[in-house]
Amino acid sequence: MKISIPSKKAFWILSYALFFLINILIYFFLDMETDIITDFNIFIKSWCANIVFLISVYVIYQLENSKIGLASIVLLIGFIFNFGQTAMWSIGIHTNNEIGTGNIYGAFHCPSNREIYISISYSILCFIALSFGMALTIFLKKKKIRKKDGMRECIYRVSEIVAIPVVPLTFLKIIMTINYSVKHGYAALYYSGFRIPIIFEFAERLFFPVLVGILIGSQYRRVKIVYAIFALFMISYCFAGERGNWFYDLIILIWMHHRFYEKLDLKKMLKLGLVAFFSLYILAAMVDIRGYGLANISIDDIIEAFALGNNPVIRFLMEMGGSLSVTLMVMSFGENMFQFGNTFASSFLSSISSKVAELFGVHNVYLSNYLSQDLLGISYGAGFNFFAETYINGSYLYMLLYGVIVAMFISGSCDEDSNKFSFRIFIMCIVTPALCSNFRGESLATFKSIMQIGVLYPLTIWIVNKIFYYRR
């Protein structure tokens, strides 16, 4: 990687490095030494999280030539999942089931103010480390003027062919998921005898990449049919009460639409916001209903789920922000309860192949299952996240390394000309959802997605291009 140091941006990266150092000192010498924590302390720390997010996005914004790129979207998603609840607390909004109002999962106790405070502080440190890793990489990477690389037609043809089995298999998986959820409830999808053949899982993983490939490869000439397929995908999963399967993808599609197809002016943004508001309202209701299963609910359950008092925006942020509870619980249990060696290293080896991992004597570690079933004793998934995983591996600095990986994949998106789609644009767009999955998952699943979507699938297209298109 060639390195260049533009003097204009040196101020931002040095300032953020100092900001990082100050927060490290605050965490170890102030937060960790404070014994008595009040609601006011949590309120102030919640605002600290907001300020950290705004500063981080602004620094990335400046380093990416004052444009909103995919790196900023990664930070936005990271903030929503880890600080969604604290953002609400900072403006005085609270709910009856937020963190600190009762037992989090199963028999896990109602967390104290100190536990909440320390988990927020640690999450802030992880967020800054992630942001600094991304900022440093963007700062050091030498910008290149990219030209048309002749890959567009190959991307389109391969995506079109792969879509033939992938799209039907994905919708068949959704139908099976809805059918089981209707009968047994949402929780039964993950902690019962329900199993989906691996071919369906793999097909769904390729669903978004093939749609992006068709959009980019056709220069958005297939925009209507692609959007229709994705809308059906999204609506179908809503009936099962699921949102993780499409949330990241939707944000990337909106960004691509604005960047490469049609600018979204204020009027269009307002219309989009209105649609999003009602969509969130319906989704929040479906989240309530999913716990019972559609076949088991009554009219009263439906009325309560769609009551006007259920503000969709607040509920959305509160539920998404629940990842903070995982960090809190892991920190409360302590590192000694997670004696698995370095889970990031084992996940990386397993992402390549389970056979490769076995050569090094490494076995897969399913942290979410271990936390939910072994430590919490619950029959549903508490989930996991990278911030919590850095804690059990001994250092928040793993997030700095992950920030470098993220930026290596997606930095430079704002310098691309929409009329000169490159293969790199395609890779950046399809891999971003996989990179974001760490905010509500563990490294094993995230690294597998990155390997399959960000490496193997693009490599397949590149090989096909070399064989069938290069000479021509």
Side-chain angles (χ1 to χ4, degrees), residues 55-99:
I55 291 175
S56 302
V57 170
Y58 187 73
V59 170
I60 294 292
Y61 176 79
Q62 291 296 329
L63 294 174
E64 290 195 313
N65 298 323
S66 300
K67 294 179 180 178
I68 299 296
L70 292 173
S72 298
I73 291 176
V74 171
L75 293 183
L76 172 63
I77 293 174
F79 179 77
I80 290 174
F81 276 94
N82 291 283
F83 303 104
Q85 293 202 15
T86 64
M88 294 293 97
W89 298 346
S90 69
I91 55 176
I93 295 176
H94 296 271
T95 60
N96 294 330
N97 58 350
E98 66 184 31
I99 298 171

Side-chain angles (χ1 to χ4, degrees), residues 159-188:
S159 298
E160 195 175 39
I161 293 170
V162 174
I164 294 173
V166 162
V167 172
L169 286 174
T170 299
F171 279 103
L172 186 56
K173 175 183 181 292
I174 295 173
I175 291 171
M176 291 189 290
T177 302
I178 292 175
N179 182 58
Y180 201 83
S181 178
V182 164
K183 294 179 179 178
H184 305 285
Y186 175 78

Side-chain angles (χ1 to χ4, degrees), residues 199-211:
I199 185 65
F200 292 98
E201 299 286 352
F202 186 66
E204 185 181 354
R205 197 163 286 172
L206 288 175
F207 180 79
F208 184 68
V210 300
L211 293 187

Side-chain angles (χ1 to χ4, degrees), residues 377-448:
I378 58 178
S379 60
Y380 52 93
F384 219 80
N385 67 66
F386 268 30
F387 290 2
E389 195 164 349
T390 64
Y391 184 79
I392 67 175
N393 281 289
S395 177
Y396 57 89
L397 291 177
Y398 282 108
M399 289 310 301
L400 190 153
L401 179 60
Y402 187 69
V404 172
I405 295 172
V406 170
M408 289 297 294
F409 269 106
I410 66 176
S411 64
S413 57
C414 292
D415 295 327
E416 303 285 3
D417 187 334
S418 60
N419 294 317
K420 295 179 181 178
F421 282 112
S422 69
F423 190 43
R424 178 172 171 77
I425 285 183
F426 172 70
I427 296 175
M428 289 189 296
C429 292
I430 66 173
V431 80
T432 301
L435 294 169
C436 290
S437 63
N438 76 87
F439 297 120
R440 64 187 299 269
E442 55 197 284
S443 61
L444 180 59
T446 298
F447 288 170
K448 280 186 175 181

